[in-house]
Structures are given as C-alpha cells and as structure tokens.
Amino acid sequence: MVKLFAHPSGALYIPEEETALIADLHLGYAWAQRRRGQLGPVADGGSVEKFLATLAELSPKRVVLLGDLYHAPRPSAAEREQVERALDAVRGELVIVRGNHDRALLRDFGKAPVPEWRTDGLIAVHGDRVPETNDFVVMGHLHPVVKVRDAAGASRRVPVFWVKDRQAVLPAFTPFSSGCPVRGGSIFAATGTRVVALTPQSFQDSLVGLPSLVRIA
C-alpha cells in the first residue's frame, strides 16, 4: 500500500502519487448559515487562504477533495466566489469525491463528483457511507477532534487525524467545525504548524524535503 503522510493543515499527502487529499472544506459556511437565518459573523475563517497555502507548499500533481467542498446548495455570490477561487488554484488533476453536502455540485458549479477514488491498496471516500473492503480506507465526514488541556487548566478542541482498524479519518479543513471527539487507535493532532502524535504509534518518519509531513500509515 502507498505511504500516508499528515500535513499540519489537515491534508493527507501520498508522495508516490504526488497526491493531496483534503476533506470537508465546507466553503461558504458562514454565508450559508446567514441565509438560513443565523446571525453569526459572516467570515470565511481563512479557509481559502489555508487551502492555497497548502497547495503552494505541497505542489501536488493531483488533488482529491473528500466531499463537502461547499456547505449548501444554491450558493450566493460570496459563496460561489470562495469555491471558484479554491478550484481555480488547483494545478493538475482535480478529483471531487461526493459528500453529503455536494448533492447539487454539478448544477451549481458544473463539476461531477465521483463516489470514490482508488490507488494501490487504498480507497478514499467521503465517509457518510463506508464501503466493505479489504483495502485501507481514507475518509472525512466525522470531523475528528480531541480535547487537550494546558498546565493552567484551559482546554480546547484540536482537529486530529484518527487511524484505527485500517481506516484513516482526516480532520475537517474548515475552521467552523466543533468536531466529533475520538479515542483509541493512533491520533495525530493537526495544529496548523505541526503534526503531533498524541498516542503511541508505529510511524514517526518525516518526509525528506518536507519535514512538516509526518507518516501516519
């Protein structure tokens, strides 16, 4: 099977394939919530800038988006601008795996999502449905987090990569997710600047030339 490396942004990188996998951008979230009547601040949380910075660092030849590219159908002009800016930044092959929020992607953006993406010994899906397979499964959807506490007693939820039972769940790329707490298996925090192993695990290698990447499977 291919080797999987975690990036501090929450992206997963496969060096043999020069492929970056990114889950759950939920672009346009704040605008979509405003359209639904919620009165929170309208801001993107830096999602697009984070996406562009990740692509600039990894320079992947292929980008696989593991579903929930945007948050709601029939996007406003501001939501559409976010999505189009992100998609236009991808150089090389773009694969969009269908997520439960992407049901109108073809109508709204002219992009036809696929149910899954496969490579040697690995299948990548969104995660709202998990296939029965002997391959290693990579997915998003769950928005995994762990709660960490500092010496002063303050706590926060940190997005994590969660590896368990031949599955790797990617953290949500969106900053607006409160997340689903996870435990067991191997857990790697994606702090934005580092990848930190929070549990004993087999791999501690970093990728030569890209020390910010840490092997997780």
Side-chain angles (χ1 to χ4, degrees):
M1 193 191 82
V2 292
K3 296 177 181 178
L4 307 179
F5 287 81
H7 186 265
S9 65
L12 191 70
Y13 188 62
I14 305 175
E16 298 101 313
E17 302 275 353
E18 296 187 68
T19 295
L21 295 90
I22 294 173
D24 300 290
L25 281 92
H26 288 271
L27 295 176
Y29 173 86
W31 286 269
Q33 295 301 90
R34 176 65 63 88
R35 289 193 286 116
R36 292 171 175 174
Q38 296 188 17
L39 298 180
V42 178
D44 72 351
S47 300
V48 177
E49 286 71 19
K50 176 183 171 185
F51 183 72
L52 300 183
T54 302
L55 296 185
E57 180 175 344
L58 296 178
S59 297
K61 291 185 176 179
R62 179 189 296 114
V63 175
V64 180
L65 301 179
L66 296 184
D68 292 358
L69 164 62
Y70 68 136
H71 193 66
R74 301 190 184 279
S76 66
E79 294 165 72
R80 178 174 294 279
E81 190 276 335
Q82 277 206 313
V83 174
E84 291 177 346
R85 185 178 170 210
L87 295 181
D88 287 347
V90 176
R91 299 292 178 261
E93 182 183 357
L94 172 65
V95 178
I96 305 176
V97 174
R98 181 172 56 248
N100 53 295
H101 282 256
D102 301 319
R103 58 190 180 276
L105 186 65
L106 180 59
R107 182 197 67 201
D108 290 339
F109 293 98
K111 302 290 186 181
V114 298
E116 62 189 37
W117 177 77
R118 290 179 178 267
T119 188
D120 181 24
L122 179 148
I123 178 171
V125 297
H126 176 57
D128 51 338
R129 296 182 178 88
V130 182
E132 293 186 7
T133 178
N134 292 322
D135 288 338
F136 193 93
V137 177
V138 173
M139 61 185 181
H141 184 61
L142 296 180
H143 301 200
V145 298
V146 297
K147 182 181 287 187
V148 296
R149 192 178 302 273
D150 64 20
S155 65
R156 58 170 292 195
R157 292 185 173 211
V158 177
V160 298
F161 295 87
W162 185 36
V163 184
K164 186 179 182 182
D165 301 331
R166 290 188 57 76
Q167 295 181 355
V169 184
L170 274 60
F173 212 76
T174 174
F176 296 113
S177 171
S178 59
C180 175
V182 296
R183 63 177 63 186
S186 297
I187 297 174
F188 302 81
T191 70
T193 56
R194 296 177 59 198
V195 175
V196 181
L198 301 182
T199 55
Q201 37 79 40
S202 300
F203 300 111
Q204 299 184 23
D205 306 334
S206 61
L207 191 62
V208 174
L210 284 170
S212 63
L213 289 166
V214 173
R215 187 179 173 193
I216 63 171

